[in-house]
Amino acid sequence: MRLILTLLCRNEADIVGSMVAFHLSRGVDLIVATDNGSSDGTTALLEAYQRQGVLRLLRESSRTHDQAVWVTRMARLAAEEHGADWVINSDADEFWWPASGDLKIELAAVPASVQALRVERRNFLPPALAVAVDLPFHQRQTIRERRSLNSLGQPLPPKVCHRAMAAISVGDGNHVVTLDGQAVPAPSCAGLEILHFPVRSYSQLERKIREGTEALASNKRVSSKVGSTWRHIYSEHMLGGTLPTYYDGLRPTPTALEAGLQSGELVNDRRLQQALAMHPSS
């Protein structure tokens, strides 16, 4: 089996090296990455992996976050030019965790009739503002939610991976894939989960919401429903001047944190921290 991961990112230098190293250690053969005009060192990190022959780097300078178009292109390249059998379409803050330790083992067990899989995401809590930001994210963030919600209080939508197909189309957000305009059925996969680190510091959150929402506003292809979480935080908190309060609210008080751990609603999960200690980034 040949497994290829696609990656779309912009200004993710604090996490992208670890993300690439982790997936290469868990069975990914090649990463096809699109860098969307990063200015924080992300491009240099991706170039380092490209020199090692484990990553193909594409570049998009347009500030439109045209995710469906760019990810579809990468998924089709994976099938047509790189001989993929399975394709994982990922963001830089997502770590696809295989229960067996190997992504290929999980995917090899999927019945031949299944063309796509739905994989749940688990959000890790952001660090407190007082925590030193010079520590790696995986040392500052070890508490995750057992069941994650988005900023609107709705269940966090799962992501979809799929068998390689030259005519595949990937929807905005990587939540659905289609063939000939029809959604490909994607049953849930118990052997995979996504460890998700969407908020890693206040400055990272502020940059992500500002850059992401402004890019979506410049994209005439997508509807206003695309990126609804970013748009909501931008309009309600960034423009309203309450983003620091919003950030503080993402992490429970110490008392609530302890209660959540006792009840099982929160989990002290150090799996990724331990994995990255064994496979540091480039």
Side-chain angles (χ1 to χ4, degrees):
M1 175 189 294
R2 184 161 172 80
L3 175 58
I4 292 181
L5 181 144
T6 75
L7 168 65
L8 172 60
C9 58
R10 177 184 177 190
N11 290 336
E12 303 273 14
D14 67 310
I15 197 170
V16 71
S18 296
M19 184 269 192
V20 170
F22 169 80
H23 288 98
L24 291 172
S25 77
R26 298 292 162 136
V28 169
D29 295 296
L30 177 73
I31 292 173
V32 180
T34 296
D35 179 64
N36 186 205
S38 294
S39 58
D40 70 339
T42 293
T43 309
L45 288 166
L46 297 176
E47 289 173 341
Y49 281 107
Q50 181 169 240
R51 289 192 294 271
Q52 295 175 29
V54 294
L55 184 145
R56 175 178 177 178
L57 180 58
L58 309 175
R59 303 169 194 266
E60 280 290 347
S61 59
S62 173
R63 294 290 197 266
T64 58
H65 193 72
D66 213 356
Q67 186 177 30
V69 173
W70 299 337
V71 176
T72 292
R73 177 175 62 192
M74 291 189 289
R76 292 179 177 183
L77 285 174
E80 294 176 315
E81 297 187 15
H82 296 291
D85 295 297
W86 275 90
V87 179
I88 292 173
N89 302 304
S90 186
D91 295 333
D93 57 11
E94 296 171 350
F95 292 76
W96 292 63
W97 187 273
S100 65
D102 191 304
L103 291 163
K104 287 182 178 178
I105 289 176
E106 302 300 335
L107 295 173
V110 178
S113 60
V114 175
Q115 293 183 299
L117 294 170
R118 184 175 73 252
V119 182
E120 298 293 337
R121 290 183 288 168
R122 320 292 185 195
N123 279 352
F124 279 69
L125 300 182
L129 282 171
V131 175
V133 295
D134 56 343
L135 292 173
F137 75 96
H138 53 82
Q139 293 184 20
R140 293 180 285 121
Q141 297 175 257
T142 60
I143 306 298
R144 67 166 172 84
E145 300 164 339
R146 186 172 297 279
R147 178 175 178 269
S148 295
L149 306 176
N150 64 19
S151 65
L152 303 176
Q154 301 167 342
L156 195 66
K159 295 297 183 81
V160 171
C161 61
H162 57 88
R163 295 188 188 275
M165 293 171 271
I168 198 75
S169 292
V170 184
D172 286 295
N174 303 340
H175 303 300
V176 65
V177 293
T178 60
L179 281 173
D180 300 322
Q182 299 297 314
V184 177
S188 180
C189 180
L192 296 174
E193 63 180 318
I194 299 171
L195 308 183
H196 191 213
F197 296 82
V199 181
R200 303 179 296 279
S201 69
Y202 178 78
S203 60
Q204 175 263 333
L205 172 67
E206 183 179 41
R207 181 182 67 247
K208 175 181 179 178
I209 296 303
R210 182 183 65 254
E211 292 180 346
T213 306
E214 292 176 353
L216 286 171
S218 299
N219 190 329
K220 306 306 180 185
R221 177 186 62 82
V222 301
S223 74
S224 60
K225 294 181 180 179
V226 173
S228 59
T229 297
W230 288 358
R231 296 177 195 263
H232 173 75
I233 298 172
Y234 183 88
S235 62
E236 293 296 318
H237 299 290
M238 180 167 283
L239 296 184
T242 60
L243 193 62
T245 302
Y246 170 79
Y247 182 92
D248 282 337
L250 293 175
R251 187 177 179 87
T253 65
T255 300
L257 185 66
E258 183 60 31
L261 290 168
Q262 290 292 330
S263 69
E265 293 180 5
L266 298 176
V267 180
N268 190 352
D269 187 341
R270 296 181 179 270
R271 289 176 295 171
L272 185 64
Q273 184 184 77
Q274 295 164 359
L276 291 178
M278 297 175 61
H279 299 281
S281 60
S282 173

